[in-house]
Amino acid sequence: ANFKNRLLNTNCATLPSGGNSIDVDINNNGEIEESEASQFNRLNISNSDISSIEGIQYFINLEELYVNDNNLTIVDFSTVSSLQQIQCSRNQLTSITLGINVTYFEASENLLTNAEFVTAAPNLFILILKNNLLTNVNAISALSNLSFLNVSYNLITTFDTASLTQLQTLYIDHNNLTSISIPSTCTILHCGYNQISSIDLTGLHLFALSVSYNQLTSLEIPSTCNFEEGALAISGNLYTTVTFPITPC
């Protein structure tokens, strides 16, 4: 009922031609025909006390869906094959099904314990799953197109990111990692507040690095790094040696 109410009575949908958002009930008869639902490519039904999106499958041309701040526990987005961008943060999600064409997915602040669902969306480019209960994220290693990953504030103990050959930005701070592998493409790395005892930055071209509050006893910053102002955080470790590159005068 809440889902239908939002579709009928708020300006929540956008047509491919652009312009202002409108409600989905184009003919104003108090119902939603399939012919109406199929016309929209963007839908924002966030913050609407929605616990089910049954009926979303009739939005057959939908490309963007925003369903943040609701009461969803289980969702199946695969019924809309056109979907490319989805945001469903701040729900109570424990189970998710994605479609093959999704390239941007955000589900922060939910109750997810694993990331196996990402294998259904091999073209994911941006993935944001911070503030969940994730312990197993091994499935993410298969996402060969992934460029941006945020899995901060979870319960991750192991994760091999070396196979993510397109990854540029990685946020994996506030987890339970004891070690970390970093793809050579990475330029922004935040892995503070873990239990990491050693880290190899050789050959990385980093613009931002945070390794604060780990168990590091040594740290060597390679000369290939070029940090922006304020983009280097290394405090709160157990250092006996820290090595910075020497720049000739």
Side-chain angles (χ1 to χ4, degrees):
N2 290 346
F3 181 25
K4 183 177 181 179
N5 179 66
R6 181 66 187 263
L7 297 176
L8 289 174
N9 298 310
T10 69
N11 296 331
C12 62
T14 306
L15 296 166
S17 57
N20 294 328
S21 297
I22 60 175
D23 64 65
V24 178
D25 186 16
I26 297 174
N27 63 11
N28 296 312
N29 70 347
E31 298 295 336
I32 303 167
E33 281 79 31
E34 291 182 37
S35 59
E36 292 173 322
S38 65
Q39 294 188 45
F40 297 95
N41 71 331
R42 184 180 185 274
L43 192 61
N44 188 337
I45 51 174
S46 296
N47 196 26
S48 302
D49 201 24
I50 293 170
S51 57
S52 170
I53 55 171
E54 174 61 32
I56 196 69
Q57 63 269 25
Y58 298 109
F59 289 79
I60 59 175
N61 292 306
L62 199 63
E63 297 177 356
E64 298 181 29
L65 176 62
Y66 303 89
V67 64
N68 301 307
D69 300 287
N70 282 292
N71 302 317
L72 298 171
T73 57
I74 299 173
V75 288
D76 185 353
F77 298 115
S78 67
T79 59
V80 186
S81 60
S82 56
L83 271 175
Q84 300 174 27
Q85 181 168 319
I86 303 170
Q87 291 186 17
C88 54
S89 294
R90 294 174 300 281
N91 281 274
Q92 301 168 41
L93 290 169
T94 59
S95 177
I96 294 170
T97 305
L98 293 180
I100 193 170
N101 291 313
V102 177
T103 58
Y104 178 109
F105 185 71
E106 181 172 357
S108 299
E109 297 181 52
N110 281 285
L111 303 174
L112 300 170
T113 58
N114 70 76
E116 294 299 316
F117 63 90
V118 302
T119 59
N123 297 313
L124 273 168
F125 186 73
I126 295 174
L127 179 60
I128 304 172
L129 300 173
K130 62 182 180 181
N131 289 91
N132 276 280
L133 303 172
L134 294 172
T135 57
N136 183 353
V137 291
N138 293 333
I140 296 174
S141 300
L143 299 176
S144 59
N145 295 314
L146 199 64
S147 176
F148 183 105
L149 175 62
N150 189 333
V151 287
S152 298
Y153 292 92
N154 279 284
L155 304 171
I156 302 166
T157 57
T158 60
F159 182 29
D160 185 356
T161 65
S163 63
L164 299 174
T165 56
Q166 302 299 317
L167 192 66
Q168 297 182 27
T169 301
L170 174 60
Y171 288 84
I172 196 167
D173 46 294
H174 294 271
N175 278 283
N176 297 321
L177 294 172
T178 57
S179 63
I180 186 170
S181 59
I182 311 160
S184 60
T185 52
C186 190
T187 58
I188 297 174
L189 174 62
H190 287 251
C191 60
Y193 296 88
N194 280 283
Q195 301 294 319
I196 298 169
S197 58
S198 65
I199 188 167
D200 184 2
L201 306 176
T202 305
L204 294 180
H205 297 266
L206 294 172
F207 300 117
L209 173 66
S210 175
V211 295
S212 296
Y213 297 95
N214 276 286
Q215 300 294 312
L216 297 172
T217 57
S218 64
L219 180 66
E220 183 172 353
I221 307 293
S223 59
T224 50
C225 295
N226 184 18
F227 299 113
E228 300 175 355
E229 184 176 353
L232 177 61
I234 65 172
S235 60
N237 280 284
L238 306 172
Y239 299 122
T240 56
T241 60
V242 176
T243 305
F244 291 95
I246 298 174
T247 302
C249 296

